[in-house]
């Protein structure tokens, strides 16, 4: 019954938020809270800002999009700062149609849906409250009641600019119902709702021969003509087109460029002048944000048509490319899986990462910069540190191909292949190899992949597989090393003693014989080489370690196994290299002895408890790593 209580409390909250009063009372609200009279563009911008903004590495992160849109921070920042922000300030940008252009499944529709759902929610807050003339089918702005000759005085008193004229219907109602007394006109608080067609409209093109312009602008109600005596009587007109219903909010124009021209011409005056023509009336004012979306090929064909030139200058195109960061691509898959009926299936660690590596590789373009291959580029884009490169290099790589990310494999394809892998395996657990195998098999069924692309993609699957091999070995390495935790600590203490002696130009004393010895260069290099420290870089690395130890000592903290990430990795790799034979024997033995079995069980338990595997995927991982080591 808890859900019914929530429904009841929601209904009570709706009733609490309702308000109605005269225009005179509404003006008191405007005086106290001028934001209630903001424009549609301003409302959208303030809604996005209200959710929170933070700056990370010089880039603005908008929390409003954070839960649904991943890896498109640059595109979102451009969208907010180059369109919504200036449009909110009444700059000329607001007189443009916002066109989101990008590949399929890239996030265009998600962005529009988030704006629509966000406006519905925001209209129920104090900051996003909206008021309209009561009984108006277009939820018209009450400030339109102020006559044109008094609007300058109104601006001086209230600091609010009024745009737009009173609609034909409300002009008639003002005279007939209120006797011209503006102050008595009833005003009510409204709440945006796509379902109820209040402030949010959606227009989708269909057969141009059967689709009527009335879908956009409303139509004459022939059943009332006898009652009102004329087609030009606004009471005989249904103001129920999408442009009418989206007034004060936003309208989504789905597949705008597929529309018949007659529908697009209405947008010319709406965007530029803020009004449109309907029936036998004067121009009808409307304040709304128009968002359309399309793919790149359709857009190119649209702009190449000379007949569309008038619309070109009234459109602002915002590219929405595919995400190019592996970690964010993983989040996209996680989100899509949570929204499906597959949420109960155990997906082994790194299975989604490997799929993400493949997807991102298909979207990247080969750099002309020397020494930068696709894998290096992929790591740099994902924020990983790659020796010899910094943020400046990453910025240069991004500028090299401004349209990067507009092609490649879409997330839906990968999720379809993961679904296929689950169904085929008939076990509630899948791993990275299952996913890669399924992606590979699905390339033949992908209609838009050419033979040449298929060969390239097969190569990317091989690269993703090699990456997984390294990840798998490292995972098992960490799990085995844990069983040798004491050995790891002892090896590190030994290394640190030698580093200290090396940096201070001292000798070491043998604990057994008491003899003085030189620092063990062979031991130090065997550890440093594990993480690619060159002969030239060894001195500075050792000095860095010593500085870190001193810093810890000054703060009264103990430098231990986890105090330096790269050193810990080097120790683990060195220990694993020494233990490789043990791992080989333990993982590949068909009939392990008691001590081997104990070790396997310890490693499996650690993989389950610490790394997120289940018993099926942990055993599969061990068998796979055993086969890799035996090659």
């Amino acid at each position: 019954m808890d859900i019914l209580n929530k429904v009841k409390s929601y209904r009570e909250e709706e009733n609490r938020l309702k308000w109605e009063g005269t225009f005179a009372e509404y003006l008191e609200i405007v005086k106290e809270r001028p934001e209630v009279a903001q424009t549609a563009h301003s409302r959208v911008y303030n809604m996005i800002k209200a959710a929170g903004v933070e700056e990370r590495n010089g880039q603005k992160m908008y929390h409003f999009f954070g839960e649904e849109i991943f890896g498109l921070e640059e595109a979102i920042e451009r969208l907010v700062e180059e369109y919504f922000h200036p449009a909110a300030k009444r700059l000329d940008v607001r007189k443009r149609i916002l066109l989101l252009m990008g590949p399929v499944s890239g996030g265009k529709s998600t962005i529009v849906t988030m704006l629509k759902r966000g406006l519905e929610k925001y209209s129920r807050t104090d900051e996003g409250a909206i008021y309209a003339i009561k009984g108006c089918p277009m939820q018209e702005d009450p400030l339109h009641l102020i006559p044109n000759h008094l609007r300058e005085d109104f601006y001086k008193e209230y600091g609010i600019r009024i745009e737009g004229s009173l609609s034909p219907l409300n002009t008639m109602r003002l005279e007939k119902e209120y006797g011209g007394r503006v102050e008595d006109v009833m005003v009510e608080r409204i709440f945006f709702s796509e379902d109820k067609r209040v402030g949010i409209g959606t227009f989708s093109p269909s057969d141009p021969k059967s689709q009527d312009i009335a879908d956009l602008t409303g139509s004459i109600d022939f059943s009332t003509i006898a009652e009102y005596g004329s087609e030009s009587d606004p009471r005989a007109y249904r103001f129920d087109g999408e442009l009418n219903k989206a007034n004060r909010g936003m309208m989504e124009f789905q597949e705008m460029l597929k529309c018949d021209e007659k529908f697009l011409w209405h947008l010319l005056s709406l965007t530029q002048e803020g009004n449109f023509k309907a029936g036998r009336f004067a121009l009808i004012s409307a304040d709304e944000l128009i968002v359309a979306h399309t793919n790149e090929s359709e857009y190119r064909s649209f702009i190449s048509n000379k007949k569309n030139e008038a619309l070109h200058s009234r459109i602002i195109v915002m590219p929405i490319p595919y995400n190019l960061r592996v970690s964010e691509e993983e989040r996209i898959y996680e989100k899509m899986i949570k929204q499906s009926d597959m949420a109960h299936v155990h997906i082994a660690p790194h299975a989604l990462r490997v799929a993400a590596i493949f997807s991102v590789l298909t979207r990247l373009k080969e750099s002309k910069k020397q020494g930068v291959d696709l894998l290096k580029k992929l790591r740099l884009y994902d924020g990983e540190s790659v020796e010899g490169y910094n943020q400046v290099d990453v910025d240069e790589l991004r500028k090299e191909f401004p349209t990067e990310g507009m092609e490649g494999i879409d997330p839906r394809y990968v999720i379809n292949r993961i679904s296929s892998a689950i169904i085929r395996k008939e076990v509630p657990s899948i791993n990275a190899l299952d996913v890669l195998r399924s992606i590979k098999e699905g390339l033949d069924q992908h209609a838009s992949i050419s033979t040449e692309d298929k060969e390239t993609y097969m190569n990317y699957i091989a690269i993703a597989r090699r990456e997984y091999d390294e990840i798998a070995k490292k995972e098992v390495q960490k799990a085995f090393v844990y069983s040798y935790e004491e050995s790891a600590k002892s090896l590190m203490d030994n290394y640190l003693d030698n580093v200290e002696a090396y940096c201070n130009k001292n000798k070491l004393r043998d604990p057994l014989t008491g003899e003085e010895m030189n620092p063990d260069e062979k031991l130090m290099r065997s550890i440093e080489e594990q993480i690619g420290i060159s002969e030239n870089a060894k001195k500075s690395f050792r000095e860095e370690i010593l500085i870190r130890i001193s810093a810890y000592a000054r703060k009264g903290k103990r430098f231990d196994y986890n105090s330096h990430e790269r050193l810990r990795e080097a120790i683990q790799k060195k220990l694993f290299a020494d233990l490789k034979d043990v791992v080989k024997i333990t993982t590949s033995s068909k009939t392990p002895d008691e001590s081997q079995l104990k070790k396997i069980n310890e490693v499996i338990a650690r993989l389950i408890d610490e790394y997120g595997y289940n018993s099926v995927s942990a055993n599969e991982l061990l068998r796979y790593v055993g086969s890799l080591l035996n090659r």
Side-chain angles (χ1 to χ4, degrees):
M1 292 298 288
D2 187 43
I3 192 68
L4 292 179
N5 290 331
K6 285 179 179 174
V7 169
K8 186 184 171 188
S9 63
Y10 179 77
R11 190 169 60 243
E12 286 167 356
E13 178 64 10
E14 285 267 285
N15 290 329
R16 188 188 69 77
L17 290 173
K18 281 177 183 171
W19 180 92
E20 71 172 60
T22 63
F23 181 63
E25 290 169 321
Y26 170 66
L27 284 183
E28 291 304 313
I29 294 173
V30 172
K31 190 172 272 187
E32 198 181 313
R33 288 164 42 219
E35 68 272 10
V36 299
Q38 64 190 322
T39 63
H41 289 84
S42 176
R43 190 172 287 108
V44 171
Y45 175 66
N46 287 328
M47 168 188 77
I48 293 168
K49 219 170 58 165
V53 188
E54 67 172 284
E55 201 156 311
R56 222 179 283 161
N57 301 325
Q59 190 158 57
K60 284 184 179 173
M61 317 287 280
Y62 292 91
H63 296 174
F64 178 83
F65 298 99
E67 294 301 310
E68 293 284 330
I69 302 289
F70 306 117
L72 294 181
E73 290 81 11
E74 245 179 75
I76 293 293
E77 185 179 4
R78 197 184 315 124
L79 175 64
V80 177
E81 292 303 317
E82 292 182 20
Y83 183 78
F84 289 127
H85 193 176
K89 300 292 183 193
R90 294 179 189 260
L91 290 167
D92 216 47
V93 170
R94 73 196 171 110
K95 296 177 179 178
R96 309 284 180 271
I97 297 163
L98 173 62
L99 179 64
L100 305 178
M101 181 188 70
V104 293
S105 190
K108 305 183 297 295
S109 301
T110 306
I111 290 170
V112 177
T113 302
M114 289 189 78
L115 291 172
K116 291 197 284 193
R117 294 297 83 81
L119 277 173
E120 289 177 340
K121 203 171 167 185
Y122 192 57
S123 69
R124 285 161 175 75
T125 65
D126 291 341
E127 303 81 25
I130 313 144
Y131 296 82
I133 295 172
K134 190 179 179 188
C136 172
M138 282 182 63
Q139 55 275 342
E140 187 166 8
D141 185 351
L143 294 184
H144 285 182
L145 290 161
I146 303 282
N148 282 323
H149 66 278
L150 294 178
R151 289 184 178 183
E152 196 56 43
D153 295 340
F154 182 84
Y155 175 65
K156 285 172 187 169
E157 189 178 342
Y158 287 83
I160 295 167
R161 292 194 186 280
I162 303 170
E163 293 177 353
S165 307
L166 196 60
S167 67
L169 181 63
N170 286 324
T171 303
M172 180 177 274
R173 287 178 66 206
L174 177 62
E175 291 305 317
K176 291 192 181 294
E177 292 176 32
Y178 298 102
R181 291 177 58 81
V182 167
E183 62 273 27
D184 292 342
V185 174
M186 293 304 289
V187 173
E188 64 180 346
R189 182 173 178 181
I190 60 165
F191 306 104
F192 283 163
S193 166
E194 186 175 20
D195 294 339
K196 293 176 184 173
R197 297 183 77 216
V198 178
I200 297 173
T202 305
F203 184 80
S204 187
S206 57
D207 180 9
K209 288 174 186 167
S210 62
Q211 194 164 30
D212 191 358
I213 200 73
D215 293 354
L216 269 187
T217 60
S219 61
I220 294 163
D221 185 353
F222 290 101
S223 66
T224 60
I225 291 175
E227 185 185 344
Y228 298 118
S230 167
E231 287 186 19
S232 58
D233 188 311
R235 291 169 298 178
Y237 196 85
R238 285 195 297 251
F239 294 90
D240 60 357
E242 293 305 322
L243 294 181
N244 308 102
K245 292 300 181 184
N247 187 30
R248 313 289 301 286
M250 68 174 279
M251 191 187 85
E252 177 187 7
F253 220 117
Q254 294 178 348
E255 302 296 343
M256 186 184 89
L257 306 185
K258 285 180 181 166
C259 264
D260 192 66
E261 289 167 16
K262 66 182 178 186
F263 295 99
L264 299 180
W265 300 135
H266 273 280
L267 302 181
L268 289 175
S269 68
L270 179 61
T271 51
Q272 199 61 36
E273 311 300 334
N275 52 42
F276 63 92
K277 190 83 173 86
R280 297 175 183 180
F281 307 115
L283 290 166
I284 296 172
S285 297
D287 169 31
E288 55 198 77
L289 157 71
I290 296 178
V291 188
H293 40 90
T294 188
N295 60 49
E296 197 173 2
S297 61
E298 272 179 7
Y299 177 68
R300 298 282 166 234
S301 137
F302 174 76
I303 58 170
S304 64
N305 186 345
K306 292 283 183 190
K307 285 202 293 186
N308 298 323
E309 277 181 357
L311 266 171
H312 294 177
S313 60
R314 281 158 173 100
I315 292 174
I316 279 200
V317 181
M318 284 289 162
I320 307 292
Y322 282 133
N323 156 61
L324 297 176
R325 286 165 56 195
V326 170
S327 53
E328 295 298 315
E329 189 73 8
E330 272 189 272
R331 291 181 70 193
I332 293 171
Y333 301 153
E334 282 164 10
K335 181 190 86 171
M336 291 169 94
I337 287 165
K338 274 180 193 162
Q339 291 169 349
S340 72
D341 292 335
M342 302 191 302
H344 66 285
V345 175
H346 171 76
I347 296 174
H350 314 297
L352 297 183
R353 180 169 184 80
V354 171
I357 288 170
F358 164 74
S359 297
V360 173
L361 283 171
T362 68
R363 300 166 190 170
L364 295 176
K365 291 184 185 288
E366 291 269 8
S367 173
K368 295 182 180 74
K369 274 180 80 108
Q370 199 173 354
V372 180
D373 59 14
L374 280 183
L375 207 49
K376 221 171 247 180
K377 193 177 189 180
L378 177 139
R379 289 191 176 121
L380 286 166
Y381 276 11
D382 205 31
E384 288 183 41
S385 59
V386 176
E387 202 173 344
Y389 297 92
N390 56 30
Q391 190 56 45
V392 176
D393 297 304
V394 178
D395 295 338
E396 281 177 16
L397 285 171
R398 289 190 192 282
K399 285 172 190 167
E400 195 177 3
F401 300 105
T403 60
E404 193 170 43
M406 297 300 270
E407 295 170 346
I409 288 287
D410 64 282
R412 282 194 201 119
Y413 169 77
V414 174
I415 287 296
N416 291 346
R417 298 317 304 162
I418 291 172
S419 310
S420 177
I422 290 166
I423 289 158
R424 191 185 304 113
K425 202 173 179 191
E426 293 178 355
V427 175
S429 167
I430 60 164
N431 59 36
L433 296 176
D434 297 324
V435 171
L436 283 180
R437 197 177 300 117
S438 185
I439 288 172
K440 185 178 178 181
E441 288 166 2
L443 291 178
D444 289 329
Q445 301 158 25
H446 203 298
S448 59
I449 295 179
S450 65
T451 311
E452 191 183 332
D453 283 343
K454 188 184 166 190
E455 284 176 23
T456 309
Y457 289 175
M458 292 292 271
N459 183 39
Y460 293 154
I461 289 171
I463 293 171
R465 169 78 178 264
R466 286 197 294 274
E467 282 295 289
Y468 176 65
D469 289 353
E470 289 308 307
I471 291 168
K473 283 191 276 191
K474 206 176 280 185
E475 201 87 303
V476 172
Q477 161 192 315
K478 284 193 284 187
F480 261 90
V481 166
Y482 178 75
S483 307
Y484 294 89
E485 195 75 35
E486 287 307 311
S487 310
K489 285 175 181 168
S490 166
L491 181 59
M492 193 177 88
D493 289 341
N494 195 358
Y495 174 77
L496 293 177
D497 287 343
N498 280 280
V499 162
E500 207 171 335
Y502 169 86
C503 291
N504 295 329
K505 297 186 169 54
N506 292 337
K507 289 190 181 273
L508 286 164
R509 193 171 292 278
D510 189 304
L512 295 174
T513 63
E515 284 180 62
E516 284 194 334
M517 311 175 296
N518 288 320
D520 190 340
E521 184 64 24
K522 192 177 174 187
L523 170 82
M524 289 187 286
R525 289 303 293 140
S526 71
I527 290 168
E528 289 155 1
E529 281 167 355
Q530 300 295 331
I531 51 168
I533 303 292
S534 64
E535 187 70 29
N536 294 334
K538 70 180 184 184
K539 188 171 184 288
S540 58
F541 180 74
R542 292 169 190 177
E543 285 168 351
E544 183 206 319
I545 297 287
L546 209 59
I547 290 164
R548 181 77 65 92
I549 293 170
S550 306
Y552 268 63
R554 275 201 312 277
K555 291 173 186 170
K557 286 159 73 179
R558 187 173 173 275
F559 185 91
D560 63 17
Y561 183 60
N562 294 307
S563 301
H564 193 287
E565 201 175 314
R566 291 192 75 206
L567 179 58
R568 186 183 67 215
E569 187 191 343
I571 296 289
Q572 284 180 345
K573 281 186 170 178
K574 166 67 178 157
L575 199 57
F576 189 62
D578 296 344
L579 289 170
K580 205 171 263 188
D581 289 337
V582 177
V583 178
K584 263 194 213 177
I585 295 162
T586 314
T587 54
S588 59
S589 176
K590 287 193 173 91
T591 52
D593 61 31
E594 197 177 325
S595 69
Q596 287 170 348
L597 206 57
K598 184 171 179 285
K599 188 65 66 188
I600 285 173
N601 289 336
E602 275 178 24
V603 172
I604 286 172
R606 180 150 170 82
L607 286 170
I608 292 168
D609 297 341
E610 301 281 328
Y611 297 110
Y613 290 82
N614 69 1
S615 57
V616 175
S617 58
N619 274 292
E620 285 174 344
L621 177 75
L622 275 184
R623 281 199 301 274
Y624 181 62
V625 171
S627 72
L628 285 177
L629 294 174
N630 279 311
R631 281 177 194 172

